């Protein structure tokens, strides 16, 4: 089973990923978490380029770099884990590209979806949790966190694109959820980590009991 976690920076994806992995293990399931982009050596190198404020990447370059990193993650990590029967929980996946590069940057959606078709193919999540947070609240939370590419509170390259951009991304996520209600569940990020997980847990157990 493949589950993806989506939402703006600081919405709590990484925090809830840990909670979900613990919960699955308590239920006796073998579970694995990955972060997209990342994990593979190529993915980590690309992630650094993508997040560095010094990379003056155009929108298309950004789109293709994410696609390359994701392809490696799928081949090297996601498909092997699924083949071993593990539940895979992803911190971001291709909906991030649709939301940020498609809705946020305005890249032609036909191209975005064509790339997903080639890169992701049938490796699609059965469940996607979209953590819906106000962009200013999310940014406030990530600013407080250690970011390897940020100095003196400087935001990384993508965060530096500004609040209007993040508002479009948020609306994009909600549009994805509306278009695929079977797969996507919107989780309002209100209250502390425990309160957010209390909304996640019944969604998970319903899917697992199916
Ligand atoms: N519900 C919550 N209420 C308050 N703080 C929270 C909540 N969830 C997470 N946090 C804190 O907010 C910060 C950001 O959370 P987290 O790193 O999980 O977000 P993220 O979505 O993974 O962000 P990024 O996209 O930047 O990786 C962390 O310091 C975390 O401890
Ligand atoms: Mg995170």
């Amino acid at each position: 089973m493949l589950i993806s976690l989506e939402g703006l920076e600081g919405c709590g994806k990484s925090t809830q990923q840990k909670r979900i992995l613990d919960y699955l293990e308590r239920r006796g399931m073998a579970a694995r978490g990955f972060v997209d982009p990342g994990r593979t050596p190529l993915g980590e190198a690309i992630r650094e380029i993508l997040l560095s404020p010094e990379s003056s990447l155009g929108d298309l370059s950004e789109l293709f770099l994410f696609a390359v990193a994701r392809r490696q993650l799928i081949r090297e990590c996601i498909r092997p884990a699924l083949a071993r029967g593990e539940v895979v929980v992803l911190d971001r996946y291709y909906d991030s590209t649709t939301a940020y590069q498609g809705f946020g940057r305005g890249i032609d959606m036909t191209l975005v979806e064509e790339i997903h078709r080639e890169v992701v193919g049938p490796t699609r999540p059965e469940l996607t949790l979209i953590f819906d947070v106000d962009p200013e609240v999310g940014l406030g939370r990530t600013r407080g966190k250690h970011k390897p590419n940020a100095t003196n509170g400087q935001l990384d390259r993508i965060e530096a694109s500004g609040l209007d951009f993040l508002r479009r991304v948020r609306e994009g996520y909600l549009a994805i959820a509306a278009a695929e209600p079977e797969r996507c569940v919107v989780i309002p990020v209100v209250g502390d980590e425990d309160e957010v997980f209390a909304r996640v847990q019944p969604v998970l157990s319903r899917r697992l009991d199916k």
Side-chain angles (χ1 to χ4, degrees), residues 45-65:
I46 290 175
R47 183 188 176 86
E48 268 194 30
I49 297 170
L50 282 165
L51 295 183
S52 164
E54 276 91 61
S55 313
S56 56
L57 291 172
D59 294 351
L60 276 182
S61 306
E62 190 179 89
L63 177 73
F64 291 131
L65 284 173

Side-chain angles (χ1 to χ4, degrees), residues 8-9 59 62 66 92 96-107 135 139 156-173:
L8 300 181
E9 20 281 275
D59 294 351
E62 190 179 89
F66 276 116
R92 294 195 182 280
S96 286
T97 299
T98 308
Y100 284 76
Q101 278 70 51
F103 286 96
R105 304 250 189 256
I107 293 180
L139 273 188
D156 73 27
R157 209 180 58 78
I158 290 180
E159 286 172 3
S161 306
L163 271 180
D164 282 347
F165 170 74
L166 291 178
R167 290 193 185 102
R168 289 197 298 279
V169 177
R170 182 189 196 185
E171 291 308 312
Y173 273 128

Side-chain angles (χ1 to χ4, degrees), residues 14 27 39 76 101 103 105 142 168 177 179-180 204 206-207:
S14 305
R27 287 191 49 152
R39 277 305 157 97
E76 289 183 32
Q101 278 70 51
F103 286 96
R105 304 250 189 256
T142 43
R168 289 197 298 279
E180 289 185 70
L204 279 180
R206 235 179 290 129
R207 294 286 169 137

